[in-house]
Amino acid sequence: MTVRDFWLRDGMGRLEDKSNNFTAMRILFALMVLYAHALIIPQGLPYVGAWQVTADFLVNCALDGFFILSGYMITASAMKSTSLTGYAASRIFRIYPGLIASVLVVMIATMFFTTLSPAEYWTHRETWLFPLKLLSQADPLAGLPGAFEGLPTAYRANAPLWTIRFELMAYLGVGLLLALGLYKHKLLVLFWSLAACIGGALVIQYGYSGPGDDTIHTLSRFAPAFMIGAAFQAGREHLRLTPALIALTLAAALASSHLAIGGIMKDVFLAALFIWMGHRNIPGRTGEAVRNVEDISYGIYIMHWPLGQMLMVSFPAMNTTVLAIAMFLAVLPVAWLMRVLVESPSLALKSKLFPRKARTATARPATA
């Protein structure tokens, strides 16, 4: 392959082929979040020092990557969906079984890491409000009474869960558009993507103060990321995803970094890069292992923080590097058990309760 061939080679693939690296990438993103949180748990916020600030930037790219890939894949599913009920069931069964299991495990395990007696802990009002706050996402940063005292992060029982609220909002938004018939056509998806980006840029440029201002400001980041991924899915048949294009999007992101659209352009670059990486064909056994890896990303994401706090309280002399390694070793089997005992059976149950309807020959194609 010549240099010219490399730069102009189209890297766009098809999710329908079910041969990609996206699961492995989500696992990598979750591990990046784990490492950043290994810096926070013993030290608290804000990040201090060049390396910590760099880690914060990288983990924010990983969080945006979650939303970009989610928009890319959810849009592919939604545009082919023949049942709004099936769409809703897929999203609920993807998020809530693992979330419920995580909340219950953390509630029970924290009993051994609280200054309260078991009787005080289980009769405390905040103990029983905890699952309601997290499952409703009314307060995903809620803590448990007397837990992990001495840590600067003790007031947050499972901090990473704050992003689930925005993932659910994205699912709900797509669902409402599907119900109105406004998400089946590629041009409509591209329109909503543009609208999300414009809305996000306006909030960044002019700000917003009022009801739900924290939520609105965070949506100005995650909604464009999700819809940029959706746009890449809607336009994939007409888009040549080449290394040259990725380089151009990087240049645009760097040139606009001081503008209100800087974050959005960064996400365009990340979307181009991540989707290209996701469809890369890694040869040999390594590629086969990457493509077929068990999806433990959700378990890693929702369980690493409480495990990190438990480890830090148990071994307070650990530095951040040792804590990160310990969290990694602890969360892998927990995430695997979560996948095998909770997530996979739940998804199998969903398939039985809500079987996919076959698309008829007269059905309007998703590519229309």
Side-chain angles (χ1 to χ4, degrees):
M1 180 189 298
T2 66
V3 173
R4 182 178 182 277
D5 289 339
F6 169 79
W7 283 103
L8 298 180
R9 185 176 182 179
D10 187 8
M12 182 61 81
R14 289 163 41 90
L15 289 175
E16 295 88 341
D17 296 336
K18 299 187 183 300
S19 178
N20 57 65
N21 312 316
F22 291 121
T23 296
M25 291 175 65
R26 289 196 301 270
I27 292 173
L28 177 61
F29 292 161
L31 292 174
M32 290 170 66
V33 174
L34 178 152
Y35 177 74
H37 287 164
L39 302 178
I40 293 176
I41 289 173
Q43 299 177 355
L45 289 171
Y47 286 102
V48 177
W51 174 245
Q52 287 86 344
V53 172
T54 301
D56 182 45
F57 171 77
L58 293 175
V59 80
N60 277 293
C61 289
L63 288 176
D64 287 358
F66 275 124
F67 280 86
I68 288 166
L69 296 188
S70 182
Y72 182 69
M73 289 183 278
I74 293 300
T75 297
S77 175
M79 291 179 71
K80 295 183 295 183
S81 176
T82 59
S83 166
L84 186 60
T85 302
Y87 167 83
S90 294
R91 308 286 75 79
I92 292 170
F93 276 81
R94 177 70 180 93
I95 292 291
Y96 271 97
L99 181 60
I100 292 169
S102 171
V103 168
L104 293 177
V105 168
V106 170
M107 278 183 68
I108 295 170
T110 300
M111 176 178 65
F112 302 100
F113 296 88
T114 176
T115 56
L116 304 182
S117 69
E120 291 173 324
Y121 178 76
W122 289 111
T123 57
H124 200 288
R125 179 172 177 267
E126 289 303 315
T127 301
W128 296 104
L129 285 177
F130 176 74
L132 299 177
K133 290 178 179 179
L134 267 66
L135 295 178
S136 68
Q137 288 291 288
D139 183 8
L141 297 177
L144 284 162
F148 306 112
E149 289 196 357
L151 292 182
T153 56
Y155 59 96
R156 296 177 174 180
N158 202 345
L161 299 188
W162 72 273
T163 61
I164 289 179
R165 173 192 296 179
F166 300 97
E167 187 78 8
L168 290 172
M169 287 182 178
Y171 294 166
L172 179 60
V174 171
L176 290 174
L177 292 174
L178 277 175
L180 296 171
L182 299 176
Y183 208 79
K184 285 289 188 181
H185 197 288
K186 293 177 183 178
L187 291 178
L188 284 172
V189 174
L190 293 173
F191 170 80
W192 295 119
S193 301
L194 180 61
C197 291
I198 292 174
L202 288 174
V203 171
I204 293 169
Q205 177 69 37
Y206 298 106
Y208 170 79
S209 59
D213 49 357
D214 286 342
T215 299
I216 295 298
H217 280 101
T218 307
L219 274 176
S220 72
R221 169 190 171 187
F222 287 144
F226 183 91
M227 291 309 301
I228 287 168
F232 271 78
Q233 177 61 230
R236 66 185 177 89
E237 293 183 358
H238 305 286
L239 177 67
R240 287 185 57 83
L241 188 53
T242 64
L245 177 64
I246 296 170
L248 287 174
T249 60
L250 173 60
L254 293 173
S256 61
S257 60
H258 63 291
L259 302 175
I261 62 169
I264 293 169
M265 294 307 301
K266 181 196 73 174
D267 281 345
V268 172
F269 160 67
L270 291 177
L273 177 64
F274 291 158
I275 293 170
W276 180 81
M277 290 172 60
H279 286 299
R280 289 290 291 170
N281 180 29
I282 302 173
R285 292 183 178 180
T286 300
E288 183 178 356
V290 168
R291 289 188 291 273
N292 297 321
V293 66
E294 189 70 49
D295 190 358
I296 58 173
S297 59
Y298 189 45
I300 293 173
Y301 188 80
I302 64 177
M303 290 304 300
H304 74 270
W305 177 277
L307 287 172
Q309 288 191 309
M310 294 173 194
L311 287 165
M312 197 67 221
V313 167
S314 301
F315 306 98
M318 284 193 297
N319 60 36
T320 55
T321 301
V322 175
L323 177 60
I325 295 171
M327 289 169 65
F328 171 77
L329 295 175
V331 81
L332 288 184
V334 172
W336 183 81
L337 288 172
M338 180 82 74
R339 179 67 179 178
V340 172
L341 299 179
V342 179
E343 294 179 68
S344 293
S346 298
L347 294 173
L349 176 61
K350 187 273 297 181
S351 297
K352 291 181 180 179
L353 295 175
F354 304 94
R356 288 187 178 182
K357 297 179 181 178
R359 295 174 64 88
T360 64
T362 58
R364 184 176 182 178
T367 56

